[in-house]
Amino acid sequence: MVRKKTPGRPSKGADALSRKHIIAVAAPLLQQKGLEAVSFRRLAENLGVSAMAIKYHMGSQRELLFALVEHSFRDTLGTIKGKSPAERLRHVLSMYCTRALEHPNAVRCILNDASLMSQEIVEITEEIRKCTQLLNNGDPKDVMLNLLVDYTHGFVFSAVATGSDTCLTQEDYLRSIDWTLSLCRDRKISTPSSSRHY
């Protein structure tokens, strides 16, 4: 039986509720059912508390989404493997793609609102930037960085679009990354000249 919810301060029954518990319940809901499933009202129904109790612990809806993104990508980098910039780049992209495939709705949140990028996502981006700059003559204008990040997101959304019936695998992703890195090693990727405008 669900308790009757009243406006105002969280009820005494909500005392056991915590930010950590809310995130633990909200994270799988975001992944399985999308953004609508993590409204304060829907979360309150799932937890048997008032929407105000959720707000009390999480703050705003944006703060909840930021916490979910942070939770989804925490410790993605781990220890970066590889001696060469190409090896490190391949490793970082592989780790990010793996996590993004597990949490595509968290990626959608970031793409809808870039301010939801957690510190981990910023660090991943900076690591990719460092490697692309070493591989692509400084990678002026972040051409290679943007190409790899856009390709990764496109791959993730294509892979999850058909659910478990998808035929795209992590090996397919890495095969394309290896092809791109081989072009870079052969210096076939170049940045646009500074006189060109988009």
Side-chain angles (χ1 to χ4, degrees), residues 1-5 11 13-14 43-50:
M1 183 172 155
V2 177
R3 274 192 309 276
K4 185 177 178 183
K5 301 172 190 76
S11 66
L43 274 175
E45 288 169 5
N46 272 279
L47 289 163
V49 297
S50 70

Side-chain angles (χ1 to χ4, degrees), residues 35-88:
L35 192 56
E36 302 77 26
V38 293
S39 69
F40 284 176
R41 183 183 60 78
R42 295 280 295 278
L43 274 175
E45 288 169 5
N46 272 279
L47 289 163
V49 297
S50 70
M52 286 304 294
I54 305 292
K55 183 171 179 54
Y56 175 81
H57 287 284
M58 298 308 304
S60 67
Q61 182 71 24
R62 188 202 162 279
E63 288 171 300
L64 170 64
L65 292 177
F66 184 86
L68 289 170
V69 167
E70 190 174 49
H71 172 80
S72 298
F73 290 96
R74 182 173 286 126
D75 300 325
T76 298
L77 282 178
T79 302
I80 300 171
K81 298 177 183 174
K83 293 182 181 177
S84 72
E87 290 169 337
R88 290 197 305 276

Side-chain angles (χ1 to χ4, degrees), residues 81-126:
K81 298 177 183 174
K83 293 182 181 177
S84 72
E87 290 169 337
R88 290 197 305 276
L89 180 57
R90 186 183 194 272
H91 177 76
V92 170
L93 288 168
S94 176
M95 298 302 291
Y96 177 69
C97 184
T98 298
R99 195 62 66 90
L101 284 167
E102 294 168 357
H103 302 282
N105 286 329
V107 176
R108 287 185 177 102
C109 288
I110 298 166
L111 295 179
N112 285 335
D113 180 357
S115 73
L116 295 175
M117 285 180 67
S118 66
Q119 184 58 37
E120 186 82 12
I121 298 290
V122 171
E123 289 170 11
I124 291 166
T125 305
E126 287 310 309

Side-chain angles (χ1 to χ4, degrees), residues 173-184:
Y173 171 75
L174 289 174
R175 195 166 28 256
S176 296
I177 293 302
D178 289 340
W179 177 80
T180 304
L181 292 176
S182 72
L183 290 179
C184 192

Side-chain angles (χ1 to χ4, degrees), residues 116-173:
L116 295 175
M117 285 180 67
S118 66
Q119 184 58 37
E120 186 82 12
I121 298 290
V122 171
E123 289 170 11
I124 291 166
T125 305
E126 287 310 309
E127 191 58 40
I128 295 170
R129 178 177 281 116
K130 281 184 212 170
C131 293
T132 58
Q133 287 176 344
L134 290 169
L135 287 169
N136 198 34
N137 297 323
D139 198 22
K141 300 188 181 186
D142 289 331
V143 172
M144 188 175 181
L145 166 73
N146 292 325
L147 178 139
L148 291 169
V149 170
D150 288 348
Y151 171 73
T152 302
H153 291 150
F155 178 88
V156 166
F157 295 136
S158 295
V160 300
T162 57
S164 60
D165 298 332
T166 183
C167 59
L168 291 173
T169 65
Q170 182 82 357
E171 289 76 29
D172 296 320
Y173 171 75

